[in-house]
Amino acid sequence: DPKFMEKLTKMQGSQPMEILAAVKKAIVDEKPTSFDDCLRWAVLLFQEYYYNTIKQLLYNFPSDQKTSTGQLFWSGPKRCPHPVKFDVENQLHLDFAIAASNLKAEVYNLKGSRDVDEIKKILRTVEIPEFTPKSGVKIDVTEAEAEARMSAAFDHNEMDELIESLPSPESLMQSKLADIEFEKDDDTNFHMDFIVAASNLRAENYEIEKADRHRSKLIAGKIIPAIATTTSLVTGLVCLELYKIVMGLKDIDSYKNGFLNLALPFFGFSEPIAAPTNKYNDVEFTLWDRFEVNGIKDDGKEMTLNEFLEYFKKHHNLEITMLSQGVSMLYSFFTPKAKLNERLPLTMTELVQKVSKHRIRSHVKSLVFEICCNDSDGEDVEVPYIKYNFR
């Protein structure tokens, strides 16, 4: 996908870093060249999921850990887990390794194997590194902490290093990966084998009653139609609203909010509320509006900060008092004179890179600026954000 990087940078929080790390893992760090590699990967995956992470969890929150209120941390709905070490003679462990390795081989177009004796022979040779819990590792305890971590900003320099460590697209022309679509009713494709083994191993971690293949298949069978039905219904309702936009309907009463619950079943519709209207000078705007500034002038040169400030005075009768991009303050009325004189002649992209200390990537075509302004009467007014086009 030629627009992969562009799509990636539009994602929020730490998602870009996590996706890039997964890509590197798939095409560099964990790329197998034989089925033996797939078996070794399966054992290490087992160790990571069912032993290492549990050991780290118990290191952070020991079995006798107490909360600030004096209650045991592992109480109520929270079961205290125990780590499970890989044992090639344990049938459940063997099932996981066989299913995971064959699925891995299928993804990389390698020949799998069902020869249990040969597989056991290879598994016995796999060296499992000794795991030592690390201090300072943050584990999300609540959903709010998990969401905060996902939405946290990432280090752009670290992301650049990760991108540079990836092989060039040309070098991967001969490497073809196959995606696998889940199919629970084919007993030869290892899909249910993996799900049964993986879920029962996690159940073993927490001493939860295990489920046999038949029960696991019933659970998996109930999940898929529920997701597909809800998704298709929501998609249909969204498309109905899109038709109205294409038809050019302007009356807000023509549009509908939909509320539904398939379990009851309940279907309800209401008219949407118009976005609140704000005003600066004699111009009205809503949260859907924005300033769009073309940063490249007629002579082909980019607008400087000084020209940017003058542009808003001339075209919108607004005096910018503060200008920011992301978390970087680019200009303010209280900026020291020496620093202001240094910044005014810089182009807007030079200014952003200088203040943020991050380069603007080649695929980025516009920047979003936030401003605080005074109107023609010198009063502080709320205004839309700015989309600044420079490529």
Side-chain angles (χ1 to χ4, degrees):
D1 183 356
K3 292 188 176 180
F4 172 73
M5 291 306 301
E6 184 178 345
K7 294 175 183 175
L8 196 68
T9 54
K10 290 179 180 177
M11 295 180 181
Q12 297 181 346
S14 59
Q15 281 184 296
M17 282 294 294
E18 291 179 2
I19 290 174
L20 280 174
V23 169
K24 183 173 183 289
K25 188 182 287 187
I27 62 178
V28 179
D29 302 336
E30 296 180 357
K31 182 182 179 183
T33 57
S34 65
F35 185 65
D36 289 10
D37 290 341
C38 296
L39 283 168
R40 293 188 185 93
W41 168 83
V43 173
L44 296 179
L45 183 70
F46 179 105
Q47 189 73 1
E48 177 64 25
Y49 281 0
Y50 305 109
Y51 185 84
N52 296 358
T53 54
I54 302 299
K55 289 282 282 185
Q56 182 67 55
L57 183 61
L58 291 173
Y59 178 82
N60 283 38
F61 306 102
S63 58
D64 57 355
Q65 172 96 6
K66 291 186 177 180
T67 65
S68 57
T69 60
Q71 297 278 336
L72 281 172
F73 179 82
W74 297 108
S75 61
K78 293 197 290 286
R79 293 173 182 253
C80 185
H82 70 273
V84 177
K85 255 192 174 179
F86 183 76
D87 179 6
V88 71
E89 300 304 329
N90 186 305
Q91 188 59 48
L92 184 59
H93 299 194
L94 184 62
D95 288 345
F96 177 90
I98 293 174
S101 58
N102 275 281
L103 289 170
K104 180 86 167 177
E106 185 179 348
V107 168
Y108 289 88
N109 296 293
L110 299 172
K111 186 178 179 182
S113 173
R114 296 175 182 271
D115 188 334
V116 176
D117 293 333
E118 184 62 27
I119 287 173
K120 279 187 172 182
K121 183 179 176 182
I122 297 168
L123 292 176
R124 291 190 183 99
T125 67
V126 178
E127 293 185 11
I128 302 176
E130 188 65 33
F131 177 74
T132 304
K134 302 178 181 65
S135 59
V137 174
K138 180 75 170 68
I139 296 178
D140 303 323
V141 179
T142 64
E143 289 186 9
E145 290 181 6
E147 288 177 8
R149 176 178 56 79
M150 288 293 292
S151 60
F154 58 88
D155 187 335
H156 286 273
N157 291 330
E158 187 180 343
M159 183 174 174
D160 291 339
E161 290 175 9
L162 190 54
I163 293 171
E164 289 173 6
S165 69
L166 296 174
S168 65
E170 293 75 19
S171 66
L172 298 171
M173 294 297 287
Q174 302 303 316
S175 301
K176 292 188 178 180
L177 304 185
D179 59 335
I180 302 176
E181 187 173 345
F182 176 60
E183 174 51 66
K184 66 177 174 50
D185 295 319
D186 182 352
D187 291 332
T188 66
N189 61 12
F190 294 104
H191 295 190
M192 283 307 303
D193 301 79
F194 179 79
I195 286 176
V196 172
S199 57
N200 280 326
L201 283 166
R202 182 59 80 218
E204 186 176 332
N205 278 142
Y206 287 89
E207 298 181 4
I208 297 171
E209 183 184 355
K210 296 175 184 175
D212 60 19
R213 186 185 185 89
H214 178 68
R215 185 181 169 201
S216 297
K217 188 179 282 191
L218 282 175
I219 295 169
K222 288 177 182 175
I223 291 171
I224 293 171
I227 294 173
T229 306
T230 306
T231 303
S232 61
L233 179 53
V234 171
T235 303
L237 292 174
V238 170
C239 287
L240 284 175
E241 300 306 305
L242 286 175
Y243 289 146
K244 298 172 186 177
I245 294 174
V246 173
M247 290 166 65
L249 300 179
K250 301 296 184 183
D251 185 1
I252 196 168
D253 294 340
S254 302
Y255 296 88
K256 293 290 181 285
N257 287 326
F259 303 90
L260 50 103
N261 186 327
L262 297 183
L264 295 178
F266 170 77
F267 302 87
F269 297 90
S270 67
E271 295 174 359
I273 300 172
T277 301
N278 295 307
K279 190 174 183 179
Y280 67 89
N281 294 331
D282 293 321
V283 180
E284 292 187 344
F285 71 96
T286 70
L287 58 83
W288 299 107
D289 295 308
R290 67 188 180 197
F291 292 116
E292 188 140 355
V293 178
N294 292 316
I296 305 302
K297 299 179 292 184
D298 293 338
D299 59 4
K301 294 181 180 179
E302 189 187 347
M303 187 182 287
T304 64
L305 172 60
N306 190 51
E307 291 169 332
F308 184 86
L309 299 175
E310 289 300 321
Y311 173 88
F312 271 84
K313 283 183 182 177
K314 180 179 178 181
H315 293 276
H316 300 288
N317 202 16
L318 292 171
E319 181 184 1
I320 296 177
T321 55
M322 283 192 284
L323 168 68
S324 63
Q325 194 269 329
V327 296
S328 302
M329 180 64 74
L330 306 178
Y331 166 82
S332 67
F333 66 91
F334 51 79
T335 303
K337 188 174 181 180
K339 185 178 286 187
L340 184 60
N341 291 336
E342 180 186 335
R343 293 184 179 183
L344 284 173
L346 296 177
T347 66
M348 296 303 290
T349 52
E350 289 172 342
L351 178 63
V352 168
Q353 292 179 113
K354 179 181 177 64
V355 177
S356 68
K357 295 182 173 55
H358 294 301
R359 67 180 180 84
I360 298 173
R361 293 175 183 78
S362 58
H363 62 273
V364 177
K365 296 180 174 61
S366 61
L367 297 169
V368 173
F369 295 133
E370 300 282 349
I371 57 173
C372 293
C373 296
N374 289 337
D375 62 12
S376 54
D377 297 324
E379 295 293 329
D380 183 40
V381 288
E382 188 176 342
V383 294
Y385 70 88
I386 302 167
K387 180 173 181 275
Y388 177 80
N389 303 313
F390 62 93
R391 284 186 181 137

